[in-house]
Each structure stands twice: as C-alpha cells, then as structure tokens.
C-alpha cells in the first residue's frame, strides 16, 4: 500500500512512521509512506499557506490554492486503481477497526492534515476527500490523527505484521476485548499466573480465554455486545 500525506509538518510524519513496526514495513518496502510539504506549493514569498476566513471570525484557514496544487502534484506520483483521499477532521466519521480494515483493502491513501481553524471548504469539493475523525475531541493539527490512521490501517496490510504479531484475535477485531495475558515469571510479587495457562491443556486454555474475554468486555465495554 502507498500512503501520501499532505502536511505542514512532514518531519513529524516521517519521525513517527519511521519507528517500530510501521518503520520496519517501510524499510522492507511493504508499505510506502511519503510526506509532502504543502508550503512547497505556496506562491507566497514567505511560503504562507493560510488566510483569514471570509465573513470574519477567529483564526486562520488553510487556503485552497497551495493545498490543491500539492494534491494535484502528489496524485500524479502513482496511478493505482483503488485510491482514496481522506481529510483528517473532527467533523468526519469516527475511525473504527472495521473501517480501518476497509481502508487497508485500498491500494493508495492520500491523507490531508489540516491546521489552524481548518481548511477552505472548496478543498473537499476539489479533492473529493472523505472526512475521518480519530475521536470526538479536537487536536491542533491533523498530523497525529494521520499517524494514528497510518498505524492502525498499516498493520492490517498483508506482510506488515509477522505471524507472531497476528492481529486476528485482538481486542475489538474479534468483536470483544482480549483476554488477560501473562508472561514470565510465574509468580510476581505474590501474584501467580492462572493455573490453567500452565497446564498445557489447549482446550481448557481456549475455554478460559473465551470466558475471560466475555468477562472483560461486559465489565469495560458492554456497548460492544
Ligand atoms: C484546531 S483543528 C480545526 C477544528 C475546526 N475549526 C472545527 O471546529 O472542526 C485543526 C486541524 O486538526 C485536525 N483535527 C482536529 N481534531 C481532529 C480529530 N478529532 N480527528 C482528526 N483530525 C483532527 C484537522 O485536520 C483540523 O483541520
């Protein structure tokens, strides 16, 4: 999968997406993430990309000309059949695991990060971007939201996770929260690992895990049932 990010802070995207599993997938060529600086497309002498809103009001808006020029240029970098453009926005549909799976089936995502008070509405019309929010709260910019989306979608792309890092039985993906997990030592500060996990009976382990997953979900996220 190829992901292009249109941003005022390309270093932030590169830094966050250069680490850990996503960084490894990029190095292996399984996932391409390229950040593009919208300021490079500004005609302004001081590389400004924002302006005051018509009708008055607080703050500044990202203007259509540099953002759309950046978009047009980035779009030409690849010609992949399933390409989707997304504007990270608190007004958007909230990202879920299910929607992340759908996004992972695309060939290419183009992510637009807003800043200031947001963007000129005509950018959405020009690019056909879908608005996606990472939660019902407001961030200062779309970059962290883009990194969240890249992380959660990227790990679902074939070849990104190794078999030990399999995502199929995780919290939410399975429709329930994950069961509790333990590793060595067997007893830590007087707290022992549940016996059933030490006895080697796979069927009993499976039943215990299922019962614990139900218990955790009822307690912490009853809305998932
Ligand atoms: C301060 S916000 C602008 C908020 C805008 N004035 C509004 O009320 O909808 C600046 C940028 O941060 C990003 N952003 C803020 N909250 C977000 C969220 N929950 N999910 C995704 N992106 C968000 C968007 O790209 C937005 O353009």
């Amino acid at each position: 999968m190829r992901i292009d990010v249109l941003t005022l802070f390309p270093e932030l995207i590169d830094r966050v997406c250069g680490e850990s599993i996503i960084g490894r997938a990029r190095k292996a060529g399984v996932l391409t993430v390229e950040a593009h600086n919208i300021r490079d497309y500004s005609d302004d002498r001081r590389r400004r990309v924002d302006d005051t809103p018509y009708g008055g009001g607080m703050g500044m808006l990202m203007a259509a000309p540099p953002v759309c020029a950046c978009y047009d240029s980035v779009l030409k970098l690849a010609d992949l059949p399933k390409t989707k453009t997304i504007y990270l926005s608190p007004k958007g549909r909230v990202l879920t695991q299910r929607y992340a799976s759908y996004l992972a089936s695309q060939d290419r995502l183009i992510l637009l990060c807003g800043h200031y008070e947001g963007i000129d509405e005509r950018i959405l019309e020009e690019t056909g971007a879908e608005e996606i929010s990472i939660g019902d709260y407001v961030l200062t910019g779309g970059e962290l939201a883009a990194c969240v989306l890249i992380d959660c979608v990227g790990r679902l792309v074939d070849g990104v996770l190794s078999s030990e890092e399999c995502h199929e039985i995780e919290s939410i993906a399975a429709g329930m929260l994950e069961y509790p997990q333990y590793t060595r030592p067997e007893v830590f500060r007087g707290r022992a690992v549940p016996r059933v996990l030490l006895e080697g009976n796979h069927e009993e382990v499976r039943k215990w895990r299922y019962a614990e997953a139900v218990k955790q979900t009822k307690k912490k996220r009853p809305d998932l049932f």
Side-chain angles (χ1 to χ4, degrees):
M1 170 182 264
R2 178 185 174 101
I3 305 180
D4 291 283
V5 188
L6 280 49
T7 168
L8 298 179
F9 301 96
E11 298 83 11
L12 196 160
I13 304 290
D14 270 334
R15 194 65 199 270
V16 176
C17 299
E19 300 287 337
S20 185
I21 292 170
I22 298 298
R24 186 185 69 196
R26 286 174 75 191
K27 282 189 197 103
V30 183
L31 193 65
T32 299
V33 179
E34 271 188 31
H36 309 272
N37 195 338
I38 297 168
R39 283 191 201 285
D40 293 344
Y41 297 84
S42 166
D43 286 338
D44 184 79
R45 204 164 31 93
R46 288 181 296 145
R47 307 207 326 141
R48 280 185 61 167
V49 293
D50 58 325
D51 214 328
T52 51
Y54 280 116
M58 297 277 285
M60 304 293 273
L61 285 182
M62 286 171 72
V67 176
C68 289
C70 179
Y71 177 78
D72 292 346
S73 157
V74 166
L75 191 60
K76 287 186 203 132
L77 295 176
D79 183 18
L80 295 167
K82 290 199 261 170
T83 293
K84 189 162 179 59
T85 302
I86 291 167
Y87 168 49
L88 282 311
S89 159
K91 293 187 220 164
R93 97 186 259 168
V94 177
L95 183 65
T96 60
Q97 188 66 28
R98 184 187 286 253
Y99 202 60
S101 300
Y102 160 72
L103 293 177
S105 72
Q106 301 295 299
D107 300 319
R108 183 182 187 195
L109 301 178
I110 302 178
L111 309 182
L112 168 61
C113 304
H115 231 79
Y116 315 115
E117 276 312 306
I119 63 172
D120 186 311
E121 192 71 15
R122 291 166 295 182
I123 297 170
L124 294 178
E125 294 160 15
E126 275 291 306
T127 61
E130 179 183 2
E131 293 180 84
I132 293 190
S133 163
I134 60 157
D136 288 338
Y137 40 80
V138 179
L139 304 166
T140 56
E143 284 73 18
L144 293 178
C147 291
V148 167
L149 189 146
I150 293 167
D151 193 273
C152 109
V153 172
R155 68 196 289 282
L156 301 178
V157 171
D158 278 349
V160 169
L161 293 187
S162 62
S163 51
E164 301 91 71
E165 295 160 347
C166 171
H167 54 77
E168 306 230 316
I169 47 167
E170 282 171 328
S171 290
I172 313 288
M176 280 198 288
L177 301 185
E178 195 180 59
Y179 44 80
Q181 300 257 49
Y182 302 86
T183 184
R184 270 186 275 269
E186 220 175 285
V187 180
F188 174 66
R189 296 186 179 171
R191 297 171 195 276
V193 171
R195 275 245 69 79
V196 62
L197 301 178
L198 307 171
E199 287 167 349
N201 183 331
H202 297 304
E203 183 51 20
E204 287 306 310
V205 169
R206 195 193 59 74
K207 282 195 215 150
W208 181 86
R209 284 181 167 166
Y210 180 76
E212 286 295 320
V214 171
K215 212 187 320 176
Q216 296 264 334
T217 312
K218 273 191 180 152
K219 186 169 157 206
K220 299 178 186 169
R221 290 290 307 277
D223 56 298
L224 289 179
F225 277 112

